Amino acid sequence: MPAVTPVLLVSDHVAGAVHLLTVPDGAVAGRLTGRHLSEHAGFLALPGGRVACVDDRRGELLVLDPFAEQLVERTVPVAVPAEHLACDPSGRRLAVTTGLGKNSEPWSDLLTVVDLATGEAARVRTRAGEPGVTVLGGGDPLVVLRHREPGALAVHRFADLLGAPPGCPRVVPHAVLALPDDGHGDAYVPGPELVFAATSQGVHRARRTGDALTAEAVVPWGSSARGWYLRFDTRRQALWTTLRGGDPDPLRWPEWSNQAWRHELGTGRTLLTELGPGLVFRLALARRHTAFSRIHPDGDELILLDADGAARRFPLPGMDGAPRRGGTPWEGVQRRAVAASPGSDWIAVTRGGHGEVHIVDAETGQEAARPRLSTPLHHGGHLVLRVRNDGADGDPVGR
């Protein structure tokens, strides 16, 4: 497949299928079956257009190359249920945390580290919870786990973890930096070696100093709401999230407020854009736009923000089984996933339960194709859009 051709990987984690589509025509170029990918750990962009993800049923890390003859480049056994996935800036060293899965509370404390260059892998025990993870680069890479209750950034040397003996021994962090107990959302900016963690107080920032972290000033939300998700924008050198406000009761989800939050790392400026009420989940970063999907009983829409924060809105057809008033937006309902590449102007958004993917030109707002896949994309599925050298791997945290 030509390097300049955008490709889309679409995971139906319920049906156990991964579809490979070309963009913008939506033609099916490949398919994996029997692969139930972790929607929570998501897709991790690797150099050369490759992608890492975790098969939660088989307990395997998958390295996929959508531009190669064989889609699956490598598999490595890892502990599951996969909670979060990250790599160092080279894309060589990966870490997979475990946590909740289909359980009502976190129960697993296993962490897996993998060196793709040597094929080595090791599993250790850390702390049960829902830990986020970043992998810092350099001559001696570090694995930083973001824990909750009590909150902390726990620092481990990658080499120590990889060299652990068999039997999943418990490991003690080399250094610890305190956090509030409600952390959720992680980002890492490789150049200045900055780690970010979202809490109700704002975005906590820490800089690598040797084999430890030094706390820096907290970035405030600038709103009464908070973000639960962080993403590093490699083109604009900014952090993004969606601030969710209102009564946290899931039954009140149609009334939740949503604001796009962008913090420019160079200037320190923070911009807020109103997105509207309802459910806004993950966001996607295209070449010149940032994409959000908003679900609401009065109608769903795709929202595109340009570099100045101006919003354009495009209605999306409704979903059978969509969240309704009086119910929650999480249990047994259909949702949407959205994807983009910093090397492309194409946006993809799913229509859960219908097996459809809308492929939209962010420059014009026009839909180029709406392929219907052979599986329904329950819960909205999950997807990633790549161009071979799009720079998406500059964000080394799975999404």
Side-chain angles (χ1 to χ4, degrees):
M1 195 174 295
V4 295
T5 301
V7 296
L8 186 66
L9 287 169
V10 185
S11 165
D12 189 327
H13 52 280
V14 177
V18 181
H19 309 270
L20 173 62
L21 310 182
T22 56
V23 174
D25 60 4
V28 177
R31 189 168 182 260
L32 297 176
T33 57
R35 290 294 188 178
H36 298 260
L37 303 189
S38 168
E39 190 271 343
H40 198 279
F43 287 108
L44 172 64
L46 298 177
R50 297 174 304 142
V51 172
C53 50
V54 177
D55 185 331
D56 245 356
R57 174 171 282 183
R58 295 194 189 186
E60 288 183 331
L61 172 77
L62 298 178
V63 178
L64 307 179
D65 187 346
F67 299 97
E69 189 117 354
Q70 295 291 329
L71 179 55
V72 179
E73 178 182 288
R74 175 177 294 191
T75 64
V76 181
V78 296
V80 292
E83 192 77 17
H84 291 284
L85 167 66
C87 67
D88 74 330
S90 74
R92 169 181 169 177
R93 303 169 184 89
L94 288 81
V96 181
T97 65
T98 58
L100 198 65
K102 294 294 185 183
N103 301 278
S104 58
E105 60 184 34
W107 60 277
S108 175
D109 59 0
L110 288 176
L111 164 71
T112 308
V113 292
V114 177
D115 186 331
L116 291 180
T118 64
E120 295 176 274
R123 299 183 195 186
V124 297
R125 293 181 60 196
T126 58
R127 200 177 102 193
E130 299 176 80
V133 64
T134 51
V135 184
L136 283 55
D140 188 5
L142 303 177
V143 175
V144 178
L145 299 177
R146 189 255 314 137
H147 290 293
R148 303 172 70 178
E149 298 175 343
L153 290 175
V155 183
H156 301 263
R157 294 188 184 95
F158 188 92
D160 292 345
L161 299 178
L162 194 63
C168 304
R170 184 176 296 279
V171 294
V172 176
H174 171 72
V176 175
L177 190 65
L179 277 181
D181 289 347
D182 60 358
H184 194 291
D186 311 277
Y188 166 51
V189 181
E193 296 274 57
L194 286 171
V195 175
F196 298 89
T199 76
S200 59
Q201 295 179 5
V203 179
H204 290 252
R205 179 171 49 189
R207 187 180 299 270
R208 178 176 182 172
T209 51
D211 284 351
L213 295 173
T214 300
E216 296 194 347
V218 176
V219 181
W221 293 123
S223 168
S224 60
R226 68 158 289 181
W228 298 90
Y229 167 83
L230 284 180
R231 185 146 193 187
F232 174 46
D233 185 338
T234 60
R235 282 195 171 272
R236 289 164 280 263
Q237 294 294 298
L239 296 177
W240 285 88
T241 191
T242 302
L243 305 187
R244 179 184 298 160
D247 189 329
D249 181 356
L251 296 177
R252 305 291 295 273
W253 74 270
E255 303 164 25
W256 286 347
S257 65
N258 297 279
Q259 297 170 302
W261 183 90
R262 183 179 83 191
H263 177 74
E264 298 175 346
L265 296 175
T267 66
R269 185 176 63 154
T270 299
L271 296 94
L272 296 175
T273 305
E274 295 294 334
L275 298 176
L279 177 67
V280 178
F281 201 34
R282 294 181 175 109
L283 58 93
L285 298 163
R287 181 154 42 200
R288 284 180 286 269
H289 295 81
T290 304
F292 304 79
S293 66
R294 186 175 70 91
I295 298 174
H296 193 272
D298 295 337
D300 298 355
E301 61 183 6
L302 173 67
I303 305 171
L304 301 179
L305 301 188
D306 64 19
D308 297 323
R312 290 183 297 155
R313 300 168 182 270
F314 306 93
L316 295 170
M319 298 176 292
D320 296 335
R324 305 295 181 192
R325 287 187 173 90
T328 80
W330 310 123
E331 286 81 26
V333 294
Q334 303 299 345
R335 292 187 292 274
R336 301 185 187 274
V338 64
S341 162
S344 165
D345 294 313
W346 297 107
I347 307 289
V349 59
T350 63
R351 188 182 181 203
H354 297 260
E356 292 183 350
V357 182
H358 306 270
I359 300 177
V360 178
D361 184 344
E363 292 292 293
T364 65
Q366 297 298 310
E367 184 175 271
R370 192 187 302 182
R372 186 159 195 162
L373 305 178
S374 58
T375 63
L377 300 181
H378 280 309
H379 308 163
H382 197 35
L383 65 173
V384 63
L385 200 154
R386 291 299 312 264
V387 179
R388 190 190 294 274
N389 296 308
D390 58 7
D393 52 290
D395 175 7
V397 179
R399 308 296 181 186

